[in-house]
Amino acid sequence: MTEIAHRYQGTAVPDLTFPPREGGYPKGHETREEILRAALRILIEEGYRAMSMRRIAAQCGMKLGNLTYHFPNREDLVQALLDAVITSYEIEFANIFHDPSTTPEQRLELYCELVLEDIRSKKTTRLFPELWALSNHDTFVFERVHDLYRRARAPLEDVIAEMRPDLAEPARHDIALFISASMEGLTVFAGYAKPFESRMQSLEAVAARAFLDVVRNFVAPADSA
Amino acid sequence: MTEIAHRYQGTAVPDLTFPPREGGYPKGHETREEILRAALRILIEEGYRAMSMRRIAAQCGMKLGNLTYHFPNREDLVQALLDAVITSYEIEFANIFHDPSTTPEQRLELYCELVLEDIRSKKTTRLFPELWALSNHDTFVFERVHDLYRRARAPLEDVIAEMRPDLAEPARHDIALFISASMEGLTVFAGYAKPFESRMQSLEAVAARAFLDVVRNFVAPADSA
DNA sequence: ACAGATTTAGGACACTTGACAAAGTTTGGG
DNA sequence: CCCAAACTTTGTCAAGTGTCCTAAATCTGT
């Protein structure tokens, strides 16, 4: 690992990012945010099934009626929570890749390190599998999650384009997709409290090697359009 | 793709495999299996949250009382379902790698093709994210799922050992883990009804290249023990 | 065809769920 | 200060949840 690759160590993605407040008292906004924080806590600690309106209200010491005042129905709450969670990541990814002082190889390594570090956090390890499961049955979650991943791949595709200008766009996209998916997959195996959490460091080395090699060496099959 | 790599095309993993019947009438066993099939159907179509006892009973047109006769409580049912689902995969993996007539490279390719084919099935795309989410809060699911993955990696480790006898065991294990995790990660992106389902073929080429390269070229860092 | 084991139906229980309505309380601008 | 808007509590509603129990129906070997 190069020194530059450690630049963002410890810069965890914020749990929730809230949309700008419009109308209402400050108290109201504070309550709204507290509700979403409580909901996220339950989702992480006990899973989606336990995340009921009453459970959330209890978690932040308020009455159920108040909750339904701020979020008229459960779906509203879930969507607001998802938005707040995902916006954090989108901001993070938008900010990271504005440093042109590094080589593409370094940026690739940096990117992977950032993602693999985030994956080890309890929040991400617990949250994303829930989102993957939800996205199978909820189109709103589906759209929002894959929109996030699409944005997350953009910098990756830039790096690949720099390293392999000879490749056609679909091939570059496939490679970026593969790299992104590979890292996400590690969540289940080497995320927080997972069997191979302690192997993450060496897995990072394997991943880095595999990703570098595939970007450098991949040759598109004749029928890969 | 070599010809041999297509040998197992279309050999989908059975949905459920039931333990040998002991005691009771045939009718009872049939009902038990029908219940689990109905539960799986709901889990796949509507998610874990919708998989209530009443919903399952309704799904297979029987009374709730009958369901609780066969599965005294919900946990029993969930565990039996998980067992039936996972046993199918364990049998599949145990049977696949008993063919010594192929080269390690071919077996690696065969293995990846099998997994990536399975991932595109509706059942697997829908089921596994649910299991990953559940495993975060249910130790029984956790154990069972990771036991399955451990068995699934065994043939992979054998292949890697053949190809890279020079590597230490931990390094081989890391590589197998990475390969397995990479493929699982593709579920979310290129599984059934996912945004890049249609790219699976070309993603397979990317993955094959990346996996072959990393197995062939990986060099363990000095501190990778 | 009968007795005993097994399976199913039907209902009851105590509890939780999301939604709603009608009161209270707090807040901040005029 | 004051009042309307925003917030919070309190209570209720129908529907859904898992679990338990008993009686009826069904099956199997004799």
Side-chain angles (χ1 to χ4, degrees), chain A residues 146-195:
Chain A
H146 285 290
D147 192 58
L148 167 63
Y149 281 126
R150 193 169 43 74
R151 292 174 204 258
R153 277 194 307 274
L156 204 45
E157 289 177 359
D158 291 346
V159 169
I160 294 169
E162 281 187 73
M163 293 172 67
R164 291 294 304 276
D166 59 303
L167 280 180
E169 202 280 318
R172 291 202 302 262
H173 184 268
D174 286 341
I175 294 173
L177 190 54
F178 169 76
I179 291 176
S180 175
S182 284
M183 292 192 293
E184 296 299 313
L186 282 169
T187 308
V188 180
F189 299 91
Y192 173 84
K194 294 300 177 186

Side-chain angles (χ1 to χ4, degrees), chain B residues 61-118:
Chain B
M62 76 182 57
K63 297 300 176 181
L64 177 62
N66 198 12
L67 224 167
T68 64
Y69 166 76
H70 290 283
F71 299 96
N73 57 56
R74 193 186 133 87
E75 200 185 350
D76 287 341
L77 194 156
V78 171
Q79 297 197 353
L81 176 60
L82 188 67
D83 252 318
V85 162
I86 287 189
T87 300
S88 286
Y89 285 94
E90 289 182 334
I91 290 173
E92 192 75 6
F93 279 116
N95 285 344
I96 286 278
F97 266 71
H98 289 332
D99 184 348
S101 73
T102 51
T103 70
E105 277 84 355
Q106 285 172 328
R107 303 231 297 281
L108 177 60
E109 200 179 326
L110 181 60
Y111 179 90
C112 293
E113 192 172 340
L114 177 85
V115 172
L116 293 180
E117 185 196 333
D118 178 65

Side-chain angles (χ1 to χ4, degrees), chain A:
Chain A
M1 291 299 137
T2 62
E3 190 186 306
I4 206 163
H6 290 90
R7 180 173 299 177
Y8 292 103
Q9 277 276 4
T11 315
V13 178
D15 283 0
L16 297 167
T17 298
F18 303 101
R21 51 183 62 182
E22 47 191 45
Y25 298 157
K27 184 90 172 271
H29 290 283
E30 176 53 42
T31 303
R32 249 184 97 90
E33 300 184 2
E34 201 183 329
I35 290 170
L36 295 182
R37 278 192 293 269
L40 179 61
R41 217 172 308 138
I42 294 171
L43 184 57
I44 288 173
E45 298 296 337
E46 307 180 48
Y48 187 69
R49 204 165 195 269
M51 201 183 75
S52 71
M53 303 288 268
R54 279 177 174 80
R55 195 81 190 58
I56 296 169
Q59 174 73 213
C60 50
M62 75 182 59
K63 298 300 173 183
L64 174 64
N66 198 12
L67 227 166
T68 64
Y69 168 77
H70 290 282
F71 299 96
N73 57 56
R74 195 185 131 85
E75 198 185 350
D76 288 342
L77 194 156
V78 171
Q79 297 197 354
L81 175 60
L82 188 67
D83 253 319
V85 162
I86 286 189
T87 300
S88 287
Y89 284 94
E90 289 182 334
I91 291 174
E92 192 76 6
F93 279 116
N95 285 344
I96 285 277
F97 265 71
H98 290 332
D99 185 348
S101 74
T102 50
T103 69
E105 275 85 357
Q106 285 173 327
R107 302 231 297 281
L108 177 60
E109 199 178 328
L110 181 61
Y111 178 88
C112 293
E113 192 171 340
L114 177 85
V115 171
L116 293 180
E117 184 195 334
D118 177 66
I119 273 177
R120 294 174 68 181
S121 73
K122 183 175 186 176
K123 181 192 67 165
T124 298
T125 300
R126 297 283 179 91
L127 183 63
F128 275 80
E130 298 284 353
L131 297 185
W132 300 335
L134 281 182
S135 75
N136 277 327
H137 312 284
D138 182 322
T139 59
F140 180 83
V141 177
F142 181 94
E143 306 278 357
R144 205 74 181 77
V145 165
H146 285 290
D147 192 58
L148 167 63
Y149 281 126
R150 193 169 43 74
R151 292 174 204 258
R153 277 194 307 274
L156 204 45
E157 289 177 359
D158 291 346
V159 169
I160 294 169
E162 281 187 73
M163 293 172 67
R164 291 294 304 276
D166 59 303
L167 280 180
E169 202 280 318
R172 291 202 302 262
H173 184 268
D174 286 341
I175 294 173
L177 190 54
F178 169 76
I179 291 176
S180 175
S182 284
M183 292 192 293
E184 296 299 313
L186 282 169
T187 308
V188 180
F189 299 91
Y192 173 84
K194 294 300 177 186
F196 306 102
E197 182 182 16
S198 65
R199 301 296 297 173
M200 189 55 108
Q201 190 120 27
S202 49
L203 285 168
E204 214 170 298
V206 175
R209 177 78 203 209
F211 297 158
L212 263 180
D213 277 4
V214 79
V215 173
R216 287 205 190 106
N217 303 333
F218 181 74
V219 282
D223 60 341
S224 76

